[in-house]
Amino acid sequence: MSMIGRYLRLSAGELERALREPEWAQEFVEELDGAADGARAGGGWARLHETGKAWQALDFLLRRREFPVDLVHGEGELPGADDWGYGPPSLIMPERVRLAAGALAGLDPGRLTEGVTAADLAGARVYPQGLWAEEDALHLVTAEYRALADFLRAVATRRHGVLVWIE
């Protein structure tokens, strides 16, 4: 089974509820997963987003650029939450989502990978190591970066926050 990065968009009220009732948030994700078509609809309506197996490469590349928000691991564990795969989910609050969306808008995907090769990712032991043998592997990462930037821009526009986890 592969490890994938996942995101859930939450309104202010939903964030408050998740903080009070972390089990509700997990049930909400399970409901949305059951209705995947609507949950992952394109554009600004998407509730769920995934970066697939590119999550650790995105983390590696964003850290290189000293990105101001931890988009891959979140910025604070959801208190009282159970393990959702590889640990409990973390929060990115609405004001931090807005900061991230603004910073993403200023970071072109080509600049994100500038000076980095797939061999660099393999050498840094970035998951999944087998992927970095493929010549076009960085294209997968930039495609996931673009999709994440679009998702977070829509989240920021709504002044929502996100839960982040690795599954």
Side-chain angles (χ1 to χ4, degrees):
M1 184 171 198
S2 297
M3 296 171 70
I4 60 172
R6 298 197 68 196
Y7 299 79
L8 169 66
R9 175 176 59 84
L10 295 172
S11 69
E14 291 165 342
L15 272 171
E16 287 177 26
R17 185 168 182 192
L19 287 165
R20 283 191 324 271
E21 305 172 48
E23 64 283 348
W24 169 84
Q26 190 167 17
E27 291 168 7
F28 187 46
V29 168
E30 290 168 4
E31 265 181 52
L32 292 171
D33 276 340
D37 292 341
R40 288 187 182 82
W45 293 107
R47 296 303 304 248
L48 294 171
H49 180 77
E50 296 178 359
T51 56
K53 295 184 281 186
W55 64 271
Q56 194 173 32
L58 289 168
D59 186 51
F60 176 85
L61 294 166
L62 290 167
R63 286 182 191 277
R64 268 181 78 243
R65 295 285 176 195
E66 298 179 357
F67 200 78
V69 178
D70 187 345
L71 295 180
V72 174
H73 300 288
E75 296 199 307
E77 194 173 288
L78 180 63
D82 291 333
D83 184 329
W84 285 20
Y86 291 91
S90 290
L91 296 160
I92 304 176
M93 300 304 280
E95 64 277 0
R96 300 293 289 166
V97 171
R98 283 193 304 276
L99 174 65
L104 289 168
L107 181 57
D108 179 80
R111 207 168 133 241
L112 177 70
T113 58
E114 188 175 69
V116 177
T117 65
D120 295 328
L121 295 173
R125 304 184 62 80
V126 170
Y127 175 85
Q129 289 190 349
L131 180 63
W132 313 123
E134 297 177 25
E135 190 171 313
D136 64 345
L138 285 178
H139 294 294
L140 167 75
V141 177
T142 56
E144 292 295 351
Y145 172 80
R146 283 186 187 99
L148 179 60
D150 290 345
F151 175 75
L152 291 174
R153 185 173 31 259
V155 173
T157 299
R158 286 182 170 71
R159 297 178 186 225
H160 288 181
V162 294
L163 282 181
V164 180
W165 69 102
I166 306 298
E167 182 176 86

